[in-house]
Amino acid sequence: MLPSKTRWEINSIDKEQVQALTKALEIPDVVARLLVQRGLTDIEEARSFLYIEKQSFYDPFLFLGMDIAVARIKRAIENEEMIMVYGDYDADGVTSTSVLMTALQQMEANVEFYIPNRFTEGYGPNEEAFRFAAEQGISLIITVDNGISGVHEANVLKELGVDLIITDHHEPGPILPEALAIIHPNHPDGKYPFRELAGVGVAFKLAHALLGKAPVHLLDLVAIGTIADLVALRDENRLMVKQGLQVLRQTSRKGILALCRVAGAAISDLDEESVGFVIGPRLNAVGRLSDADPAVDLIMTENSGEAESLAVEIDTMNKERKSIVSEITEQAIKQVEENYSLEENRVLVIAKEGWNPGVVGIVASRLVDRYYRPVIILCLDPITGKAKGSARSIAGFNMFEELSQNRDILPQFGGHPMAAGMTLSLEHVDTLRIRLNEQAKFLAPEDFIPITPVDTMAHLDEIDIHSISKLQMLAPFGMKNPKPKVLIEQSSVASIRKIGANQNHLKITLEKGKSALDGIAFGLGELADHVSPLAKIDVIGELSINEWNNTRKPQIFVKDVKINDWQLFDVRGISQPERWLATLPPQRDVIAFDPKTVHAFSKYLAAESIMVIENEEQASEYSIDQKQIVLLDLPSNEEILLNLIKNGKPVRVYAHFYQDDPQFFNAMPSRDHFAWYYGFLKKRQEFDLSKNGDALANHKGWSRDTINFMSKVFFELDFVTIKDGMITVNKSVEKRDLSHSPAYQTKERMVNLEQELLYSSFQQLKVWFEEHTEWAKRLEEEEKVWI
């Protein structure tokens, strides 16, 4: 048995709905199943989703306040007023800034951009920056990807006589800023058809309204920002990203081309995955470590030399960011392990002086992955008396709503249900931790186990290049339209091994009948020690096509595995105990049948960690139910082991069966051997075994142990007497069979036991266990009921 790391959420789907979509849209069954799984059961809605590129963008003037914003901006351009685009330092923010800057420059506006420094100014509107802008003669400020939380700063601008237009997508608070216009898809008084745009999507809609038509040439930037900000890839976001990726693959932007070159990414192959893992992190890295201006400069430059220089600088910053993230993550994990009980801390609030506030959001995500509970990572600054940080959450805990209950100690915060940023006084850090843990008491134990939604089930013989290629009809994948997770049940493991420099990844080949499928599991290398060669394995993963040396093959990126039945691990014959002992799970019951074995393994196992079972009664009283047992040696007779294995169903059995004096290869003498030896003794009447035993053994080609064994059998049957090594034949002997000798019985029993358990094949050993227990029969019955 091997439990899954996550909760597999398998939802039943309506077959009639699947058939209806298959027929109406003329699509493969697997695509229809995935559409239904995603809640797209209406035929026209599903059609719009699949063929989104045929749809049109929504009218930007459906936004509340868009007409006011456009009129004011155009008046500013006509009057040659100075306009400032006030952006944000993440990838969404810098692409938003670039989109609106490009549109305004296209309209010949007198415009400049300003992005606050993450470390000295923090997120969102900044009073000092606004006052500086007013002093420089700025009469109109347009925020992108921020502003909705700037109530105080909006009042400052109003006093200064500077007009403010807010474009944002973050959660609005209970009080909205007093701005000339607020362009927000989720405005409480608005009726825009789609409410989940990224900041760059909102900026694009403003550019659309200003230019009078959708600026398709800006969609490459919209795709980057939308993917990087992890918003839902549905509806208009899906349209923007799908068209944007097409524009991106043909982009002439010198900065993007240079960035892809230094990152080793082919521009023509860019998709949502490479944008999310190659371009997005690099644009984000700039604002995480310093001013974000170079990221905007990279996007907007038309100079090849400058583009190359900026790309190299940004790529270097990204490498530095990775190093900083790793270091802080290690320190944060150490804090948790040493200071925080997971039972008492449903929400982890981890804080330390000196951490880089630009990367703590990534660190928070890493800790959520490790501990699966809401996490807040705070950077403490004793000079300012402030703590600044980021939060990441789990399903069922709306971080924005929970933080909103603490506005009295959070002068600055904003975000979404799954992520947020905040600033608070150092004195309130402990208070926040206590309050959030109190608020999180509604979370049930199962809420702390990650969920893996299963989109569809598949058989190995259904998976081929054609079926996988059909899944691309649902691309681009992302939030609320994830890559399909496929469940493949009860496959055999044809091969499994650890790969990677640190052996922390897994390569596996699944097999069933004549069908096989290669798989890669990143970060799951340890599973190689926990999957038995004969196990039937359930796998969840994402299907893809592997292209290598002009060969295309189906493969699966494994996300989680599960084995429902007990497992047998064959560690017999491994002469170095440390090799196989290192693969054992921490929770295991080590069982020895001979007390001498405890001493033999004293170098590797503490004596108190080994359970010694010497007889049938002890075996009957020891439950192995739902345990991981290690059979360290062989019992003296089969009944002891049978009594043990019938007393419960174990999760795993590790069979080592150490023997200090194996009998199998000291072959049982034949009856002809016994007959010749007895005749030899009877003829001589006396024989000095201690003096002449070796010579006799050499003469017959037998071992000395064989001579000693036959002598002992004759002694136990009263055929001879033995005193001080001298054998004397008894004169009146009752005829008795050799099997009446206890030594003969013991050796025969041990030879048979060793043959069955120690020297059998792995397959034969598995069959032996199944034949002597009810485990296999119970599994078959369970499968029949399930089917």
Side-chain angles (χ1 to χ4, degrees):
M1 186 173 289
L2 179 67
S4 58
K5 294 181 179 294
T6 62
R7 286 181 287 157
W8 294 5
E9 193 175 72
I10 306 173
N11 297 319
S12 60
I13 57 175
D14 190 319
K15 292 182 179 180
E16 292 184 2
Q17 291 177 334
V18 173
Q19 292 171 357
L21 289 179
T22 302
K23 183 177 180 181
L25 302 177
E26 298 180 343
I27 56 176
D29 181 76
V30 64
V31 176
R33 292 205 307 264
L34 291 169
L35 288 171
V36 172
Q37 189 72 30
R38 283 156 165 71
L40 297 166
T41 57
D42 179 80
I43 291 174
E44 290 311 312
E45 186 182 4
R47 189 194 309 277
S48 174
F49 179 87
L50 288 178
Y51 307 107
I52 191 70
E53 66 275 13
K54 296 180 180 181
Q55 306 301 312
S56 300
F57 293 106
Y58 294 126
D59 183 347
F61 287 97
L62 293 174
F63 272 100
L64 181 69
M66 184 65 81
D67 53 345
I68 298 172
V70 169
R72 178 64 185 94
I73 293 170
K74 286 184 175 180
R75 188 169 77 249
I77 295 172
E78 291 171 5
N79 295 336
E80 298 184 353
E81 297 177 48
M82 293 178 66
I83 303 172
M84 174 184 282
V85 175
Y86 189 93
D88 187 29
Y89 35 66
D90 66 1
D92 188 18
V94 298
T95 52
S96 300
T97 303
S98 302
V99 163
L100 194 55
M101 283 292 295
T102 303
L104 291 173
Q105 287 176 351
Q106 191 174 327
M107 297 174 71
E108 299 183 352
N110 182 6
V111 61
E112 60 186 51
F113 74 89
Y114 184 94
I115 296 179
N117 183 288
R118 183 193 292 262
F119 306 100
T120 59
E121 298 172 277
Y123 168 77
N126 179 276
E127 179 179 347
E128 188 176 337
F130 280 3
R131 289 188 181 278
F132 177 76
E135 290 172 5
Q136 298 302 307
I138 301 292
S139 58
L140 174 61
I141 293 179
I142 310 169
T143 70
V144 289
D145 193 33
N146 75 97
I148 198 65
S149 61
V151 176
H152 169 69
E153 291 78 8
N155 292 334
V156 169
L157 278 187
K158 191 173 182 180
E159 292 174 6
L160 294 171
V162 177
D163 286 334
L164 173 64
I165 296 173
I166 293 173
T167 76
D168 199 357
H169 73 122
H170 294 92
E171 292 283 347
I175 301 174
L176 299 181
E178 287 193 45
L180 182 68
I182 298 177
I183 311 300
H184 197 297
N186 207 18
H187 194 294
D189 298 324
K191 295 180 181 178
Y192 193 72
F194 182 59
R195 306 176 79 82
E196 297 184 73
L197 290 171
V200 70
V202 182
F204 177 81
K205 300 305 295 187
L206 177 56
H208 183 174
L210 287 168
L211 297 172
K213 63 178 182 179
V216 176
H217 62 291
L218 298 176
L219 282 173
D220 53 347
L221 303 183
V222 178
I224 293 171
T226 299
I227 292 169
D229 213 48
L230 302 178
V231 292
L233 288 193
R234 293 283 188 97
D235 207 289
E236 199 166 27
N237 282 343
R238 179 172 168 82
L239 174 60
M240 290 176 176
V241 170
K242 191 149 192 175
Q243 290 193 12
L245 287 173
Q246 294 172 359
V247 176
L248 183 60
R249 295 184 196 109
Q250 302 171 28
T251 189
S252 59
R253 293 184 192 277
K254 293 178 171 57
I256 298 299
L257 292 170
L259 191 63
C260 287
R261 274 196 300 274
V262 299
I267 197 77
S268 59
D269 295 334
L270 288 179
D271 58 13
E272 66 273 22
E273 194 165 343
S274 50
V275 168
F277 288 98
V278 177
I279 298 178
R282 285 169 171 79
L283 294 180
N284 273 323
V286 186
R288 292 188 188 280
L289 301 185
S290 184
D291 286 320
D293 291 16
V296 178
D297 295 336
L298 174 81
I299 291 172
M300 299 192 66
T301 186
E302 296 181 2
N303 182 289
S304 297
E306 182 185 24
E308 198 68 32
S309 176
L310 285 168
V312 170
E313 177 187 351
I314 288 172
D315 189 60
T316 301
M317 295 177 81
N318 187 52
K319 291 174 182 175
E320 182 184 354
R321 185 268 307 168
K322 289 181 179 179
S323 175
I324 293 171
V325 167
S326 296
E327 183 180 347
I328 296 177
T329 300
E330 288 179 10
Q331 294 174 5
I333 289 172
K334 185 179 180 182
Q335 266 201 49
V336 174
E337 301 293 339
E338 293 180 354
N339 303 316
Y340 296 94
S341 162
L342 295 182
E343 291 183 3
E344 297 175 3
N345 288 268
R346 292 168 175 246
V347 179
L348 290 172
V349 180
I350 312 299
K352 187 177 180 181
E353 183 181 339
W355 282 347
N356 185 322
V359 301
V360 292
I362 303 173
V363 176
S365 295
R366 297 267 180 96
L367 264 66
V368 170
D369 290 341
R370 186 181 181 96
Y371 300 111
Y372 201 70
R373 61 200 56 231
V375 174
I376 296 177
I377 303 291
L378 295 170
C379 312
L380 307 181
D381 186 345
I383 296 176
T384 63
K386 300 290 185 183
K388 184 184 296 184
S390 294
R392 297 293 183 269
S393 196
I394 62 174
F397 190 85
N398 187 316
M399 184 60 75
F400 182 80
E401 289 185 359
E402 300 300 333
L403 289 175
S404 296
Q405 298 181 40
N406 298 278
R407 290 179 181 274
D408 59 315
I409 61 171
L410 293 174
Q412 286 183 300
F413 82 97
H416 308 287
M418 299 298 287
M422 72 211 68
T423 301
L424 66 158
S425 298
L426 296 182
E427 61 190 30
H428 291 144
V429 171
D430 289 339
T431 304
L432 181 64
R433 181 185 295 111
I434 293 169
R435 286 187 184 181
L436 288 177
N437 273 287
E438 188 66 27
Q439 291 168 218
K441 283 188 174 179
F442 69 88
L443 293 172
E446 59 268 21
D447 291 327
F448 296 103
I449 302 174
I451 298 172
T452 299
V454 177
D455 293 288
T456 187
M457 298 173 67
H459 300 288
L460 280 186
D461 57 7
E462 295 177 325
I463 299 170
D464 53 28
I465 291 175
H466 176 72
S467 62
I468 295 174
S469 64
K470 290 298 182 183
L471 298 180
Q472 287 301 308
M473 293 182 71
L474 281 80
F477 299 110
M479 298 299 291
K480 294 193 178 178
N481 181 41
K483 275 193 171 182
K485 298 286 193 305
V486 176
L487 170 60
I488 303 170
E489 292 186 312
Q490 294 296 289
S491 297
S492 298
V493 180
S495 67
I496 184 170
R497 61 188 175 91
K498 299 176 183 179
I499 59 172
N502 298 318
Q503 298 288 281
N504 57 333
H505 307 308
L506 188 75
K507 184 171 177 60
I508 187 171
T509 299
L510 305 176
E511 195 173 60
K512 198 167 190 178
K514 296 181 179 180
S515 302
L517 180 65
D518 292 334
I520 296 291
F522 292 111
L524 298 179
E526 62 174 15
L527 291 181
D529 296 329
H530 302 286
V531 176
S532 170
L534 295 180
K536 296 296 184 183
I537 191 170
D538 295 347
V539 167
I540 285 181
E542 298 171 356
L543 296 173
S544 67
I545 297 173
N546 182 26
E547 300 189 25
W548 179 255
N549 285 340
N550 297 318
T551 301
R552 305 176 80 229
K553 288 179 62 179
Q555 73 172 359
I556 184 168
F557 288 104
V558 177
K559 301 300 180 182
D560 202 1
V561 304
K562 179 169 63 176
I563 297 173
N564 295 315
D565 195 19
W566 76 286
Q567 291 194 86
L568 174 65
F569 291 86
D570 187 359
V571 291
R572 298 172 297 175
I574 301 178
S575 58
Q576 298 172 304
E578 61 269 21
R579 282 176 50 204
W580 65 270
L581 288 172
T583 68
L584 296 180
Q587 303 297 323
R588 74 280 178 119
D589 284 27
V590 181
I591 298 169
F593 300 101
D594 186 342
K596 290 184 291 186
T597 302
V598 177
H599 176 72
F601 279 79
S602 61
K603 182 180 177 181
Y604 313 103
L605 295 168
E608 58 270 19
S609 70
I610 302 175
M611 179 67 187
V612 179
I613 296 176
E614 299 184 69
N615 54 55
E616 296 171 30
E617 183 180 355
Q618 290 177 335
S620 298
E621 293 173 351
Y622 191 80
S623 173
I624 61 172
D625 197 48
Q626 298 304 306
K627 292 181 180 179
Q628 302 179 114
I629 65 170
V630 181
L631 301 176
L632 206 54
D633 58 5
L634 278 175
S636 58
N637 67 73
E638 189 178 56
E639 288 304 314
I640 298 176
L641 182 58
L642 290 176
N643 282 10
L644 178 70
I645 64 174
K646 289 177 181 178
N647 198 14
K649 178 179 179 180
V651 172
R652 300 183 194 179
V653 175
Y654 290 83
H656 184 57
F657 295 142
Y658 167 79
Q659 280 288 80
D660 181 47
D661 182 26
Q663 299 298 308
F664 184 76
F665 292 107
N666 294 327
M668 174 74 80
S670 68
R671 289 184 177 269
D672 288 342
H673 290 162
F674 278 102
W676 184 91
Y677 185 39
Y678 185 68
F680 170 82
L681 294 175
K682 193 172 182 181
K683 185 177 181 180
R684 291 196 169 211
Q685 290 298 308
E686 286 187 345
F687 178 69
D688 192 337
L689 181 64
S690 57
K691 184 177 180 181
N692 300 314
D694 288 339
L696 178 62
N698 290 333
H699 172 71
K700 294 298 294 181
W702 297 341
S703 69
R704 176 60 187 266
D705 286 341
T706 298
I707 299 290
N708 291 342
F709 172 68
M710 289 191 293
S711 300
K712 185 176 183 181
V713 169
F714 291 156
F715 174 76
E716 291 179 345
L717 295 175
D718 291 329
F719 291 176
V720 301
T721 58
I722 302 176
K723 185 176 181 181
D724 297 329
M726 180 66 71
I727 300 177
T728 304
V729 178
N730 293 332
K731 293 186 178 180
S732 69
V733 176
E734 180 184 347
K735 190 174 182 180
R736 300 173 69 187
D737 191 80
L738 295 172
S739 61
H740 291 167
S741 159
Y744 189 95
Q745 294 171 5
T746 299
K747 186 173 181 67
E748 186 175 50
R749 187 168 61 242
M750 288 308 298
V751 167
N752 292 336
L753 195 61
E754 287 178 11
Q755 184 174 9
E756 284 187 315
L757 299 180
L758 188 57
Y759 300 112
S760 57
S761 69
F762 182 44
Q763 179 71 53
Q764 289 169 333
L765 183 61
K766 182 92 181 315
V767 169
W768 185 91
F769 273 98
E770 292 174 344
E771 285 179 346
H772 290 84
T773 66
E774 294 297 314
W775 305 342
K777 293 179 182 178
R778 282 202 297 271
L779 179 65
E780 289 170 5
E781 290 168 3
E782 288 167 6
E783 287 181 342
K784 288 175 183 176
V785 171
W786 189 87
I787 292 169

